[in-house]
Amino acid sequence: MGTGGVTRSSDGREPAVAGGWAKVVVDARGVVTGWSSSAQRLLGYPADRVLGRPAVELLATAHEAAALGWPPAAAAPPPAGTGPTTAAGSGPDPGLGPGSGGDRRPDAEPHPRAASAEYAGSVSAADAGSVSAADAGSVLLRHSDGALLACRVGIRPSAAGGPDAGWEVLLGPATAGPAPDSELDRALLEALFTRSPVGLFVVDPQLRLIRVNPAAEGMQGVAVEAVLGKRPGEVWPEFSADLTEQVMGQVLRTGRPVIGWEKHGRPPGDPGHEHVYSTSSFRLEDAEGRVLGVADAAVDVTERHRAQERLKLLAEGGARIGTSLEVTRTAQELAEVTVPRLADSMAVEVLEEVLAGEELFPGPVRPGAVLRRAASLASGPAEPAGVYAEGEVSTFPPAAPSLDALTDLRPRLVGSVEADSAWVLQDPARGSRILQDRVHSLMVVPLVAQGRVLGVATFYRWGAQGPFRDDDLTLATELAGRTAVCLDNTRRYLRERNTLLALQRTLLPGELPHHHGVEVAHEYVHAGTGGDWVDVVPLSGARVALVAGSVPGRGVATAAAMGRLRAAVHTLSDLDLDPEELLARMDDLVRRLGGGDGPEEPLGGRRYDRGTEPPAPPGGAPVTGGRTGAPATEEAAGTPAAGGETRPPATGTETGCTCLYLTYDPISQRCAVASAGHPAPAVAQPDGTVRVLDVPAAAPLGRPGAAFRRTEVDLPENAVLVLYTPGLLQAGAGGAAEDSADRAGADPSGAGRAADRAGADPSGAGQAAEEGQAAEEGGDAAEPARSRLLGTLARAPGSVRETGRMLLEALMPARPGQDAALLVARTHALGPGRVASWDLPSDPAVVSTARSLVTRQLSAWALDDAAFATELIASELVTNAIRYAGAPVRLRLIRDHVLTCEVSDGSSTSPRLRHARTTDEGGRGLLLVAQCSERWGTRYTEDGKTIWAEQSLA
C-alpha cells in the first residue's frame, strides 16, 4: 500500500473542505483502506504508514484516556494477539509515532494543535452523506508525535456497498462543527415539513399520500390525517386531479423531474377565486437507487398568473380592436376580446352622434343625449345576449352607475349587486335581466377619447370567476380607452366621408340628360376617394359628348377638384371643340390651377426628355390634332416655355387627373375620342363583337408627355359603348382588391389608421392616374379585369341599366378601395326623316328661297308654330354667310329634342354679337338670332365653320 490509498474525488482531486472533517475508510476487518490528505494533516501520519494497518492502533489506551479524565469507551480495547502486553498504561506497539516503537507517554497532554483550524479535514457533502447525531461521538486519537488528540467521530457504511465494503469514519477536532450535513439535513427536513411556505406533498410508488406539510394542508384545506394513504384524485378532485396524477406517474416512471407545471383550484381560504399553483415534481430514491415515491413542491402564483393573463388580454385587445372603420364592428371586437375571459357578458352603448359621424364636444354627456346599443355578448346560452338589439335606443334610470360614469367620466366597480338596489328596481329591462342571470358584480367604464365621451361599456359577472377586483377594473379601463380611440377615429372618418359624399353628390349629375342619339345609364361606387365621374353633355347639331374622368387622391379636396374639372368640361363643350382640342385646353387649365411651378417630376409622374419621340399612336386610325392646336412634334417632350426649356408639370390637386372625351354624331354615326391617361372605352357591336377602342396614349392632365390625339370610328346603330374609371378594374390582380380595401378607410383629416395609409399624394401623382396610365399601356395588372369586362359585355342583356349592374357585379370587389364610375351608352341613328339640308349658292337672292325651304320643312314636321322664328334665324344666318363669308353655303334643319338651324360656310372667321345703336342701320342680325333661340354658337370644321341656333320644342 502507499499513497494510492489516499481518498480522492472522481476527477483526481481531493474533496473540498466541508465543516473541518476528514475521512478515513476502514474495511470489515478493521484495517485502514482509505486515508485522505485531511486525515494526514489532522493526525500527522502519511498514507503509507497507515494503510493496511488496524485502525485501533490510532486510538489511545484506556489508561491514557483515564489519565486525562476520559471514559474508557473513548480508548482502544486491549489488543488480541497483536504483540507483547505491556504494563498498565502501556498500549500495544502500533509501529506508529516517532521511532520504531513509538514514544508513548502515560501523562501525555492533548496535542496543542488539536483545535487548530489548520487541521481541517475535507469531506464533501456528496462524500459525507447523512450522519445522524447517534453516529457522532468523541474519541482520543494518537498523533504521530505521540500526543493525544481529542476528536469527534462519525461512522457510516461505505458508499462502495457490498458485504466487505466496510465503513467510512469521519474525524474532526473536538472544536469542529457538527458532522457534515447531519444536523443541516435534519434542520432542513424539519423546516420543509413545519415552517416552509412552499407546499410539499410526498406520495409513495402507488401515488398514495404519505406526507404533507402545513403549507400544502392550507392550500388544499384538508387535514393531514384525512389525506394520508389516499391518492390526490380522491382527496382533491377539483385541484387538477387528473393532471396531477398524470404528471406524478410520469415522474415515477421516467425519473425526470417536471418543473413549473400548473394546477388550478379554489382554496378554502379564498373560495370565491380560482388560484394557480406552480408545481415541480421529482422522484425520491434511497442510497441504493430504490424508488421511494414522488415529491411535489407547489407555490401559489395566482397574482403572477393573473398579471400575465391581463397582459396577454391587453396585447390581444390591441391587435383585435379597431380593425375596421365601423362603429358596431369595433364595439363588437371589444365584446369578443373580453367575453368570457374578463366578463361573463358585456354591452356597449354609444352616442347617436358617433353612429352618424357628427361632431362631439369635450366634457360630460349633455342632458337628453341619445345612447344606442352598439354591441353585446354573453358567454351563457341566454338569447339574445342583451336586453337591447343593435341600434336600439338604450335608457338608464337616474341612479344607474352608467349615468354617473357618463357624468364624471370615471370608471366604476360595483363589487356586489344588490337585488333591492334603487337603480336595479328602476330599470325594468336591465334590472330583470340582472336578477335573472344572478349578476353579482359589474364594471362601468366610459368610452372617452380626447376628453369627448363616445359611449359607455358595461361588464357583468355571474359565473364562477367571482366578483370583479380592482385589477379587473384597470384592465377594462385600458381596453375601453383603446376602443374609444378607435371609435373616435371611426366617427371622424364617417364625418369626413359624409361630407365628401354630400359634396360629391352635389357635384355629380343626378339624372343624365335624355338624348335621341344615345340611350345611357350610369353607376357610381362610393368608396371615399371622391374623384371619379362620368357625364353626358349635349352638343350642337344633335351630337352628344360622353365623358369619364378621375382625379387622384381622396377626400373633400379631391371631390372639389372633380367638380371644378367637370364644370370646365361643360364650359369647354359649349365651344364645340374637337376632343383633342378640349383636352389640350383642360391641360392648360390644370396647369394654371396648379401654378405650374412644382417639382420637375412629381412622384409617380411620367415625362419625356427633350428630343425623345413620344409613343406612336396605334396604326389604322386617323389621327389629328395636338395640345392647344400645336403640332405633335413640338410638344412631344412637354410644354415648351421661353428659351426652349421644358415646362415643369403643375402640382395642384387636379394635376394627374385622367380624362376621356368622346363625341358621337347620330347623323353620320361617327365617333371621335381622345384620352388623357384614361382607360380606353369598350364597344360591343350588334353582331356580338366586343373590343377596346384604339385610343392614342397620352399623359394625364398637367403632366408633360405626348400631344393629345383623337381617333375616329364608325358605330352602327345599337352599338354599346362602355366608359369607366380606373376604379372599375381595381380587382384585376389577385389580392389587389384586398389591398385596396385596406386603403379604403382613408380619413382626409388624419382620423384613423387608414388615413395614414391612404392619404392623397400632395404632388398630385395619385393612384388613379397611375392606374389610368397602366390601363392604356396594356399587359398590366388590370388586364385580367379588362378581359372579364369584355366577356361580361359580350353576354350583357339588351338594357343598358342591366348591363351596367352586371358589369359592376362582375368586376367590383366586395370591399372596394377606391371609387368607380361607369357609363353605358347605346347608340342610335338620327334618320333622314329628322334631318333636312340644302346647298345654297352664294347669292343674296337665295335668302328668300331659304325662308321658303324652312317653312315647307317645318310644315312637313308639323312644327308650324316655330316657322316664324326659324325663318328669321335662317334668313339672318344665310345673309351673313353670303355677305361676310364664302362658298359653300349650306342650310340644315335638325329635329331632335330641340329644333336646330345650322348654316355652314367656307370661312373660319367667327361672327360676334353686336349691340347696335338706335341710329345704326345694321348689326342686329345675331341679336335677333339670340333673341329668337334658346342658345346659339359657332362650330369650326376642317373646311370652315357652322353657325347654329337651337329652339326648344313644346
Side-chain angles (χ1 to χ4, degrees):
M1 298 181 187
T3 57
V6 177
T7 303
R8 296 181 181 273
S9 62
S10 60
D11 60 358
R13 298 175 299 171
E14 293 190 20
V17 175
W21 290 72
K23 183 170 73 174
V24 178
V25 182
V26 180
D27 63 12
R29 296 170 298 152
V31 176
V32 178
T33 59
W35 187 260
S36 65
S37 60
S38 56
Q40 179 178 339
R41 290 194 299 270
L42 179 65
L43 297 179
Y45 301 104
D48 56 358
R49 293 184 58 190
V50 179
L51 294 177
R53 301 186 65 84
V56 71
E57 296 179 356
L58 296 172
L59 299 176
T61 64
H63 177 71
E64 292 172 333
L68 295 177
W70 283 71
T82 58
T85 303
T86 61
S90 300
D93 182 5
L96 302 175
S100 61
D103 193 8
R104 301 180 300 275
R105 295 178 295 173
D107 58 347
E109 296 293 334
H111 197 279
R113 291 177 294 179
S116 174
E118 66 179 286
Y119 298 102
S122 59
V123 178
S124 68
D127 291 335
S130 177
V131 181
S132 65
D135 297 327
S138 298
V139 294
L140 281 175
L141 299 180
R142 191 183 307 281
H143 197 270
S144 62
D145 61 4
L148 300 179
L149 184 64
C151 293
R152 300 187 66 188
V153 63
I155 302 175
R156 65 185 179 187
S158 174
D164 299 327
W167 307 87
E168 290 183 355
V169 181
L170 305 178
L171 301 175
T175 57
D181 301 332
S182 59
E183 296 186 13
L184 180 61
D185 289 350
R186 178 182 177 185
L188 178 60
L189 193 61
E190 181 180 0
L192 285 174
F193 281 96
T194 57
R195 298 184 296 277
S196 173
V198 178
L200 193 61
F201 308 83
V202 181
V203 298
D204 62 12
Q206 287 73 40
L207 300 185
R208 293 189 298 263
L209 288 159
I210 58 177
R211 196 162 185 182
V212 178
N213 71 348
E217 181 181 359
M219 289 179 183
Q220 312 291 5
V222 181
V224 176
E225 296 78 11
V227 302
L228 296 181
K230 298 181 180 179
R231 296 171 68 96
E234 300 174 6
V235 184
W236 307 298
E238 71 280 1
F239 271 81
S240 306
D242 294 340
L243 178 62
T244 300
E245 294 192 3
Q246 178 182 350
V247 173
M248 285 183 171
Q250 175 185 337
V251 173
L252 198 62
R253 290 189 306 271
T254 64
R256 292 191 296 269
V258 179
I259 309 298
W261 60 278
E262 291 184 352
K263 59 183 178 181
H264 301 252
R266 294 178 179 272
D270 190 12
H273 296 88
E274 183 180 70
H275 283 236
V276 181
Y277 300 93
S278 178
T279 308
S280 297
S281 302
F282 50 93
R283 193 166 72 181
L284 301 178
E285 302 174 355
D286 62 9
E288 297 180 359
R290 291 177 300 180
V291 178
L292 303 178
V294 176
D296 270 6
V299 179
D300 191 336
V301 294
T302 303
E303 292 303 322
R304 184 183 70 188
H305 179 79
R306 287 175 178 166
Q308 291 174 346
E309 289 298 315
R310 288 194 297 270
L311 287 176
K312 290 193 326 191
L313 188 60
L314 193 60
E316 183 178 339
R320 293 179 57 186
I321 299 174
T323 60
S324 68
L325 289 172
E326 299 176 10
V327 173
T328 55
R329 181 58 197 154
T330 301
Q332 188 66 28
E333 287 168 347
L334 173 63
E336 292 171 356
V337 167
T338 56
V339 176
R341 295 168 61 181
L342 177 63
D344 294 314
S345 68
M346 71 90 57
V348 179
E349 273 82 22
V350 298
L351 292 172
E352 210 169 32
E353 290 83 351
V354 177
L355 292 169
E358 298 177 1
E359 187 60 46
L360 291 175
F361 299 96
V365 176
R366 70 183 189 279
V370 178
L371 288 164
R372 292 186 180 272
R373 175 63 55 89
S376 60
L377 185 64
S379 59
E383 291 293 342
V387 295
Y388 295 102
E390 182 179 316
E392 189 177 356
V393 176
S394 180
T395 59
F396 296 96
S402 299
L403 285 186
D404 295 337
L406 291 172
T407 301
D408 58 17
L409 310 186
R410 296 175 58 187
R412 277 170 169 72
L413 169 60
V414 181
S416 178
V417 178
E418 303 295 338
D420 58 351
S421 298
W423 64 273
V424 174
L425 299 177
Q426 295 173 6
D427 193 340
R430 289 187 185 83
S432 60
R433 186 61 175 272
I434 287 174
L435 298 178
Q436 174 187 337
D437 292 340
R438 298 182 180 180
V439 173
H440 51 66
S441 65
L442 62 87
M443 297 184 298
V444 179
V445 183
L447 302 174
V448 182
Q450 299 181 354
R452 295 176 173 86
V453 182
L454 293 96
V456 63
T458 309
F459 304 86
Y460 303 91
R461 271 190 187 173
W462 64 74
Q465 292 191 75
F468 287 114
R469 298 158 43 138
D470 289 339
D471 52 5
D472 296 323
L473 182 63
T474 302
L475 175 60
T477 303
E478 291 289 337
L479 293 173
R482 163 78 181 177
T483 305
V485 172
C486 296
L487 288 175
D488 191 49
N489 288 343
T490 301
R491 178 191 64 83
R492 295 169 61 193
Y493 163 71
L494 289 175
R495 182 189 62 192
E496 297 296 328
R497 187 174 187 272
N498 293 341
T499 303
L500 168 65
L501 292 178
L503 177 62
Q504 190 178 27
R505 289 190 179 99
T506 303
L507 297 176
L508 288 174
E511 289 294 331
L512 296 179
H514 173 73
H515 197 280
H516 288 154
V518 289
E519 176 188 355
V520 296
H522 69 296
E523 299 286 346
Y524 285 97
V525 176
H526 299 278
T529 52
D532 291 9
W533 89 95
V534 292
D535 211 345
V536 175
V537 183
L539 302 177
S540 65
R543 297 174 306 123
V544 64
L546 307 180
V547 187
S550 178
V551 178
R554 59 183 64 235
V556 175
T558 300
M562 179 272 294
R564 289 195 294 268
L565 292 180
R566 178 173 175 262
V569 170
H570 274 262
T571 301
L572 293 175
S573 296
D574 285 343
L575 300 179
D576 282 319
L577 301 174
D578 288 333
E580 74 280 4
E581 291 292 335
L582 184 140
L583 291 181
R585 299 206 182 190
M586 289 285 293
D587 183 71
D588 293 339
L589 172 65
V590 168
R591 292 178 181 278
R592 286 196 298 271
L593 292 176
D597 55 355
E600 185 172 359
E601 185 175 4
L603 180 64
R606 291 191 305 168
R607 59 166 294 139
Y608 299 99
D609 295 332
R610 282 178 293 169
T612 304
E613 291 295 328
V623 177
T624 60
R627 289 183 186 259
T628 322
T633 54
E634 295 180 6
E635 298 189 352
T639 304
E645 294 295 329
T646 301
R647 181 178 179 181
T651 57
T653 306
E654 295 84 352
T655 304
C657 159
T658 66
C659 184
L660 182 135
Y661 191 82
L662 180 150
T663 61
Y664 173 68
D665 188 347
I667 300 175
S668 64
Q669 295 182 268
R670 192 160 184 80
C671 167
V673 58
S675 171
H678 200 84
V683 60
Q685 303 286 354
D687 60 1
T689 304
V690 294
R691 66 187 178 97
V692 176
L693 292 181
D694 292 330
V695 180
L701 299 178
R703 303 282 180 79
F708 299 117
R709 300 164 184 254
R710 80 169 184 265
T711 185
E712 297 183 1
V713 294
D714 292 324
L715 295 177
E717 188 167 9
N718 290 323
V720 176
L721 285 166
V722 177
L723 282 69
Y724 54 90
T725 59
L728 188 70
L729 307 180
Q730 61 187 282
E738 289 77 3
D739 295 340
S740 298
D742 291 338
R743 298 189 299 266
D747 177 6
S749 68
R753 294 170 295 178
D756 297 334
R757 297 194 297 265
D761 181 0
S763 69
Q767 182 181 16
E770 292 301 322
E771 293 186 359
Q773 295 179 38
E776 289 298 317
E777 292 165 1
D780 54 359
E783 190 60 37
R786 189 177 294 108
S787 299
R788 290 200 303 272
L789 185 152
L790 294 178
T792 305
L793 185 58
R795 303 187 305 271
S799 169
V800 291
R801 187 166 298 278
E802 290 299 325
T803 299
R805 292 174 180 173
M806 190 173 178
L807 289 172
L808 286 184
E809 292 175 359
L811 297 173
M812 292 301 295
R815 298 180 60 191
Q818 54 183 311
D819 287 4
L822 174 68
L823 177 65
V824 181
R826 173 174 280 106
T827 62
H828 296 292
L830 207 61
R834 289 180 172 270
V835 181
S837 62
W838 303 273
D839 291 327
L840 303 177
S842 184
D843 183 358
V846 81
V847 175
S848 61
T849 304
R851 287 197 295 266
S852 300
L853 293 173
V854 168
T855 302
R856 285 197 301 267
Q857 186 61 50
L858 293 181
S859 178
W861 284 343
L863 297 177
D864 297 315
D865 292 341
F868 177 76
T870 308
E871 282 185 22
L872 182 58
I873 292 173
S875 175
E876 293 296 334
L877 294 181
V878 170
T879 300
N880 286 341
I882 294 174
R883 178 177 297 179
Y884 302 110
V889 177
R890 169 173 290 189
L891 171 64
R892 186 168 71 165
L893 295 179
I894 303 172
R895 180 188 176 188
D896 190 19
H897 62 287
V898 294
L899 177 62
T900 305
C901 179
E902 296 182 347
V903 175
S904 302
D905 58 55
S907 172
S908 59
T909 303
S910 175
R912 62 186 182 88
L913 180 66
R914 292 178 53 194
H915 294 277
R917 292 173 294 181
T918 56
T919 58
D920 291 342
E921 295 183 359
R924 296 180 178 84
L926 287 181
L927 180 60
L928 293 175
V929 171
Q931 293 294 326
C932 294
S933 63
E934 292 288 334
R935 63 175 189 147
W936 71 280
T938 304
R939 181 172 71 248
Y940 293 94
T941 62
E942 295 180 358
D943 54 358
K945 68 177 182 297
T946 298
I947 310 297
W948 54 268
E950 293 180 354
Q951 304 173 68
S952 61
L953 297 177

